[in-house]
Amino acid sequence: MPEQSLPSWNDGPARRAIIDFVTRVTDPSHPDFVRPAERIATFDNDGTLWCEQPKQTQFFFAEARLEALAEKDPSLRERQPFKAFLEHDLKTLFNLGKQAAFEAVFMTHAGMTIEEFNAIAKEWFATATHPQLHRPFTRCVYQPQLELLDYLRANGFKNFIVSGGGIELMRAFAEEVYGIPTEQVIGSSTRTRFEVIDGRVQMMKIAELGSFDDREVKTENIALHIGRRPILAFGNSDGDLAMLRYAKSGAGARLALLLHHDDAEREFAYDREFRLSPLVEALDHAADFGIDVVSMKRDWATVFPT
Amino acid sequence: MPEQSLPSWNDGPARRAIIDFVTRVTDPSHPDFVRPAERIATFDNDGTLWCEQPKQTQFFFAEARLEALAEKDPSLRERQPFKAFLEHDLKTLFNLGKQAAFEAVFMTHAGMTIEEFNAIAKEWFATATHPQLHRPFTRCVYQPQLELLDYLRANGFKNFIVSGGGIELMRAFAEEVYGIPTEQVIGSSTRTRFEVIDGRVQMMKIAELGSFDDREVKTENIALHIGRRPILAFGNSDGDLAMLRYAKSGAGARLALLLHHDDAEREFAYDREFRLSPLVEALDHAADFGIDVVSMKRDWATVFPT
């Protein structure tokens, strides 16, 4: 029922491109038909599935973790970049740049088992709220994207997250919020180590980067984790351009979508100047690469779930 | 219908342990109930799902690849370890040991895109036969395990391969043979690199190890790719012990199974002495770790598909 699908998407080029694409690849009599096992869709998370302003949720979580750690070790309050995080000093955070800022945060998540981290993250998500949107972070997701994930699933797609965010933080809420199970979440990761504690095997998070899942690394991680080229990819920044181009480069029907945050009234308006995840090249060259630009202002009837 | 399930498994302790476990974790009124999303089963491949004698299938494939490469570069015939592979020199191969032998092979698979490798592998599987079993390698899989994979799937489990074998070689047949899609195949991997060739993005296989997926690394890769502790794990060598212990160490009902190759008549009988993947510690300490040993001779009514 394409007419009833995606109710929070305005009738326009983006919604039509999505429905047209899904209709073609799921119609066995159409030359663009794709068998279900190949219907892989990959989504960036920060800024694509949920809000990433004024900074990515990972940093809000890190501040809470650092507050807890600083109670035991007050010297953290004087050491950069932790001092900046604790003082909500966005300028210092922006000057670090995306990868350095995220990496510093990941290191503060080490020294516990994966299961312990998961419990801490779930507890934080249960109460933490976005300071400007005044709603839980897990309700700062985009309603049109929840509908798109559902629509793709109903059409035999398997949805994956491929994000620069920490893999375990996303896994703590992705199943409940997006219906995406942990094994379909790819993200930046720190390494883990096999340890036997009280006779039981535990996977301990250690302060060593596995991969920073951004730009070309996203495609390397798709190759490693999924082993197939996505037929649909959705992003919102230059960090997603490699993934969008990878999806579009395959044979047959392909769809690559780029969300443009141009709606200061309902969310935020930003692109080139956002230091933690700029959108420049992907926007300037979207047409060259066959990428469809989604305008939040024009294409979305609703932004957040009610 | 537990009575009709697993027809190639003899009625005995192993079959009963499997059916009892699956019945408990899928019964919503049972205290051991596990919701579907958590029903993760991990299987080793070589020696667990298919035959690994007299050497793992990866080496047969590598010989064919090396023959093709040696036509262009005859010096390979004189360079070790390639000379040993080309001359089917098992002694030299065994002396290398598992990781070094596999790593040497992986490096010969570099220099092409993932999609090119996949096509070569599929072409090889279409015609290559096992020299002693006289059947295609893809028919050297174990019938009881095909039934077990089906039985678990029918009970809401998600099956994963977690093997020392090369991730892309397994992905070339796992879907067709085991019903396991590429994204549920974890294996040893070499790195890939984003390249633009004739304007299209390709993931190029490069000669650099990502991970050798054996022993404790199996549990690290489970943490990275799956992000959940399996509730069922099945292996056949010391290389699987960490994974079996990881599965058994979780809370709630757990099943860890170890296949013992004790059937020289229908397959091969080996354990301690198999240099490419010995079974010593896991067999000696199975009871200590709560691992159920499956005897091929006693527990399997049939070994190979007819």
Side-chain angles (χ1 to χ4, degrees):
Chain A
M1 305 289 167
E3 289 71 25
Q4 284 81 55
S5 301
L6 309 176
S8 300
W9 288 73
N10 288 323
D11 185 35
R15 181 174 182 274
R16 270 179 245 142
I18 292 168
I19 291 178
D20 173 64
F21 174 77
V22 171
T23 304
R24 283 185 285 123
V25 300
T26 55
D27 174 359
S29 67
H30 197 284
D32 287 340
F33 178 72
V34 175
R35 66 193 185 92
E38 301 276 354
R39 293 182 203 154
I40 300 293
T42 55
F43 288 82
D44 170 58
N45 186 44
D46 295 313
T48 299
L49 294 180
W50 73 357
C51 181
E52 63 174 350
Q53 291 293 339
K55 59 193 173 190
Q56 286 89 354
T57 305
Q58 188 100 29
F59 296 107
F60 290 103
F61 173 73
E63 286 168 9
R65 287 301 306 147
L66 279 165
E67 282 294 347
L69 293 171
E71 283 191 22
K72 291 176 196 162
D73 175 9
S75 76
L76 280 172
R77 296 193 188 280
E78 302 310 319
R79 272 159 55 201
Q80 289 294 17
F82 309 118
K83 185 170 186 285
F85 295 137
L86 285 164
E87 293 173 356
H88 318 299
D89 168 5
L90 274 179
K91 195 171 163 227
T92 302
L93 182 63
F94 286 178
N95 282 338
L96 282 171
K98 186 176 185 181
Q99 180 159 354
F102 269 100
E103 278 197 43
V105 159
F106 295 152
M107 299 309 150
T108 69
H109 300 169
M112 63 183 92
T113 71
I114 286 185
E115 286 149 358
E116 286 165 347
F117 179 84
N118 185 260
I120 289 171
K122 278 192 154 72
E123 197 183 330
W124 182 77
F125 278 122
T127 58
T129 56
H130 190 288
Q132 288 161 264
L133 298 173
H134 308 293
R135 46 169 66 219
F137 285 100
T138 52
R139 302 288 288 171
C140 296
V141 296
Y142 303 133
Q143 177 63 25
Q145 301 292 55
L146 297 180
E147 293 169 9
L148 178 57
L149 294 171
D150 280 342
Y151 176 63
L152 292 173
R153 248 189 309 266
N155 280 283
F157 279 73
K158 213 172 204 179
N159 299 321
F160 287 80
I161 292 174
V162 181
S163 165
I167 197 164
E168 280 127 11
L169 188 67
M170 293 188 288
R171 284 172 171 170
F173 73 91
E175 185 172 354
E176 196 183 324
V177 175
Y178 301 137
I180 297 182
T182 58
E183 61 270 20
Q184 287 161 227
V185 176
I186 301 169
S188 296
S189 59
T190 45
R191 303 186 76 94
T192 58
R193 188 169 53 209
F194 176 99
E195 287 192 14
V196 179
I197 301 168
D198 298 332
R200 295 165 75 122
V201 173
Q202 302 291 352
M203 299 312 295
M204 189 64 72
K205 283 170 67 66
I206 59 174
E208 187 186 322
L209 189 70
S211 75
F212 186 68
D213 191 48
D214 197 33
R215 307 187 70 91
E216 283 75 11
V217 179
K218 290 201 177 197
T219 61
E220 295 165 16
N221 277 332
I222 288 171
L224 177 65
H225 287 251
I226 307 179
R228 295 185 208 271
R229 197 190 281 261
I231 64 167
L232 185 158
F234 208 141
N236 79 303
S237 79
D238 286 355
D240 301 313
L241 182 56
M243 173 171 85
L244 299 179
R245 292 182 64 193
Y246 182 44
K248 281 298 282 191
S249 290
R254 305 274 158 173
L255 188 65
L257 298 155
L258 182 74
L259 179 62
H260 190 203
H261 293 263
D262 54 2
D263 194 332
E265 204 169 304
R266 296 184 300 172
E267 201 232 13
F268 297 92
Y270 64 98
D271 42 45
R272 293 165 201 278
E273 76 292 349
F274 182 40
R275 296 279 295 280
L276 285 174
S277 196
L279 170 60
V280 182
E281 191 189 355
L283 191 60
D284 291 345
H285 294 282
D288 303 338
F289 297 130
I291 296 167
D292 288 295
V293 177
V294 174
S295 153
M296 185 178 277
K297 193 168 182 169
R298 176 196 66 192
D299 292 314
W300 286 3
T302 312
V303 174
F304 296 111
T306 49
Chain B
M1 306 286 169
E3 290 70 26
Q4 283 81 55
S5 301
L6 309 177
S8 300
W9 288 72
N10 289 321
D11 185 35
R15 181 174 182 276
R16 268 178 249 143
I18 293 168
I19 291 176
D20 173 63
F21 173 78
V22 171
T23 304
R24 281 185 288 125
V25 300
T26 55
D27 174 0
S29 67
H30 197 284
D32 288 340
F33 177 72
V34 175
R35 66 194 185 93
E38 301 276 355
R39 292 182 203 155
I40 300 293
T42 55
F43 288 82
D44 170 59
N45 186 43
D46 295 313
T48 298
L49 294 180
W50 73 357
C51 181
E52 64 174 350
Q53 291 292 338
K55 60 193 174 192
Q56 286 89 352
T57 305
Q58 188 101 29
F59 296 106
F60 289 104
F61 173 72
E63 287 168 12
R65 286 300 307 147
L66 279 165
E67 282 294 347
L69 294 170
E71 282 191 22
K72 290 177 196 160
D73 175 9
S75 76
L76 280 173
R77 296 194 188 281
E78 302 311 318
R79 273 159 55 200
Q80 289 294 17
F82 309 119
K83 185 170 186 286
F85 294 138
L86 285 163
E87 294 173 356
H88 316 300
D89 169 5
L90 274 180
K91 194 170 163 230
T92 302
L93 182 63
F94 287 177
N95 282 339
L96 283 172
K98 186 176 183 180
Q99 181 160 352
F102 269 99
E103 279 198 42
V105 159
F106 295 150
M107 299 309 149
T108 70
H109 300 169
M112 62 183 94
T113 70
I114 287 185
E115 285 150 358
E116 286 166 347
F117 179 85
N118 185 260
I120 289 171
K122 278 193 154 70
E123 196 183 331
W124 183 77
F125 277 123
T127 57
T129 57
H130 190 288
Q132 287 161 266
L133 297 173
H134 308 293
R135 47 168 66 219
F137 284 100
T138 51
R139 300 291 286 170
C140 296
V141 295
Y142 303 133
Q143 178 62 25
Q145 301 292 58
L146 298 181
E147 294 168 8
L148 178 55
L149 293 171
D150 280 343
Y151 176 63
L152 292 173
R153 246 188 310 264
N155 280 283
F157 279 74
K158 213 171 203 180
N159 298 319
F160 287 80
I161 292 175
V162 182
S163 165
I167 197 165
E168 280 127 11
L169 188 67
M170 294 187 287
R171 284 172 170 170
F173 73 92
E175 185 172 355
E176 194 182 326
V177 175
Y178 301 136
I180 297 181
T182 57
E183 62 270 22
Q184 287 162 228
V185 176
I186 301 168
S188 295
S189 59
T190 45
R191 302 187 77 95
T192 57
R193 188 169 52 209
F194 176 99
E195 288 191 11
V196 179
I197 301 169
D198 298 332
R200 295 164 76 119
V201 172
Q202 302 290 351
M203 298 312 296
M204 190 65 70
K205 283 171 67 66
I206 60 174
E208 187 187 323
L209 189 69
S211 75
F212 186 67
D213 191 47
D214 198 33
R215 307 187 69 93
E216 283 75 11
V217 179
K218 288 200 179 198
T219 61
E220 295 165 15
N221 277 331
I222 289 170
L224 177 64
H225 288 249
I226 308 180
R228 292 185 208 274
R229 197 189 281 262
I231 66 166
L232 184 157
F234 208 140
N236 79 304
S237 78
D238 286 355
D240 302 313
L241 182 55
M243 173 172 83
L244 299 178
R245 292 181 65 193
Y246 182 43
K248 282 297 284 192
S249 291
R254 304 274 158 173
L255 188 64
L257 298 155
L258 183 74
L259 180 62
H260 190 203
H261 292 262
D262 55 3
D263 194 332
E265 205 170 303
R266 296 185 300 174
E267 201 233 13
F268 296 92
Y270 64 97
D271 43 43
R272 291 164 202 279
E273 75 293 348
F274 181 43
R275 295 278 296 280
L276 285 174
S277 197
L279 171 60
V280 182
E281 191 189 355
L283 192 60
D284 291 345
H285 295 282
D288 303 338
F289 296 129
I291 296 167
D292 288 295
V293 178
V294 175
S295 154
M296 185 178 277
K297 193 168 182 169
R298 177 196 66 192
D299 292 314
W300 287 3
T302 312
V303 175
F304 296 110
T306 49

